[in-house]
Amino acid sequence: MAMHYSKMRSDKSSRLFKSEILESLTRTHIAVPLTVFYGSALAILVYSFYLGAIAPWSNLYLFVGGLLTFTLIEYLIHRFAFHIKMDTEAKVRFQYFVHGAHHAFPRDKSRLAMPPIASILLAVGFFALYKLIMGYHGLPFTAGSLSGYAIYLCIHYSIHSFRPPKNALKFLWRHHAMHHFKQPDAAFGVSSPLWDLVFNTMPEKQPNEKPSGTALK
């Protein structure tokens, strides 16, 4: 069941719950998750250095490794969970709830980030997994992953809120615009096109395409 979100765009927002309390939990100001995840990443990294359980340089290498691993997780979740094949009514409802509303209403800044409760639960789950598998090495690795998520949020929010910069970063605006409005089955990477290149999901080049001069709306 295909959906062409570009035809569904609206200046209005969408409502997911009748309950005001539940509805409020689906929205967040971008400053909230950025503060939580940048702050948590810094605290975990400082704590790892303080413990001294692993070599200082190992902290930095693992931090970078966690950051790069997040870009893969971001790609996989976006491609296979947020864009799940909608062949049943249940899957249609699920997809709209977790991601489709964003495609239908890309100007809704309150839903450019996952609600803090959900993202914190996921972060705790990944932290527990990394700690179980890697021991103390999981601390800087988690810090890198949390930083990766915060960077992703900055990029995604900026793409939907601000005009493209006049530098190489403009490519990210165009890449994400292709995903939203022309090729929703491609360009799943937001913070980086790396995994689109690896898994051959780069968008096809459009003839006579002009660079976007505005924010992605």
Side-chain angles (χ1 to χ4, degrees), residues 86-118:
M86 295 180 287
D87 51 5
T88 67
E89 287 300 320
K91 289 182 179 179
V92 170
R93 289 193 294 269
F94 169 79
Q95 200 277 341
Y96 187 83
F97 181 81
V98 300
H99 193 60
H102 167 58
H103 273 264
F105 303 94
R107 298 186 185 187
D108 186 355
K109 294 182 180 181
S110 68
R111 289 206 178 108
L112 291 179
M114 186 181 295
I117 292 178

Side-chain angles (χ1 to χ4, degrees), residues 106-210:
R107 298 186 185 187
D108 186 355
K109 294 182 180 181
S110 68
R111 289 206 178 108
L112 291 179
M114 186 181 295
I117 292 178
S119 56
I120 288 172
L121 289 175
L122 282 173
V124 170
F126 276 110
F127 172 68
L129 177 64
Y130 296 151
K131 186 67 167 59
L132 177 65
I133 296 173
M134 306 170 68
Y136 286 115
H137 293 79
L139 293 173
F141 194 87
T142 298
S145 294
L146 296 180
S147 295
Y149 178 60
I151 291 170
Y152 155 81
L153 291 178
C154 286
I155 293 173
H156 192 227
Y157 186 86
S158 297
I159 288 172
H160 283 274
S161 303
F162 306 117
R163 297 171 67 90
K166 296 180 179 179
N167 53 43
L169 291 177
K170 180 171 66 176
F171 171 81
L172 295 175
W173 268 250
R174 298 181 67 177
H175 190 72
H176 198 51
M178 292 294 288
H179 171 74
H180 262 271
F181 305 127
K182 293 186 178 181
Q183 299 178 46
D185 294 326
F188 296 105
V190 177
S191 58
S192 168
L194 171 62
W195 301 107
D196 285 306
L197 289 167
V198 172
F199 295 113
N200 195 31
T201 53
M202 287 292 289
E204 297 178 2
K205 292 184 178 180
Q206 299 292 304
N208 301 320
E209 180 186 357
K210 295 182 179 179

Side-chain angles (χ1 to χ4, degrees), residues 53-78:
I54 59 177
W57 282 109
S58 294
N59 278 284
L60 298 179
Y61 293 146
L62 288 163
F63 179 89
V64 173
L67 195 155
L68 291 175
T69 298
F70 171 79
T71 64
L72 175 59
I73 294 172
E74 171 207 324
Y75 174 91
L76 294 175
I77 290 177
H78 190 186

Side-chain angles (χ1 to χ4, degrees), residues 15-36:
R15 189 177 183 88
L16 299 179
F17 293 102
K18 292 182 179 180
S19 166
E20 291 293 341
I21 295 177
L22 291 178
E23 179 67 14
S24 67
L25 294 177
T26 70
R27 302 176 182 276
T28 184
H29 189 282
I30 191 63
V32 175
L34 289 181
T35 300
V36 169

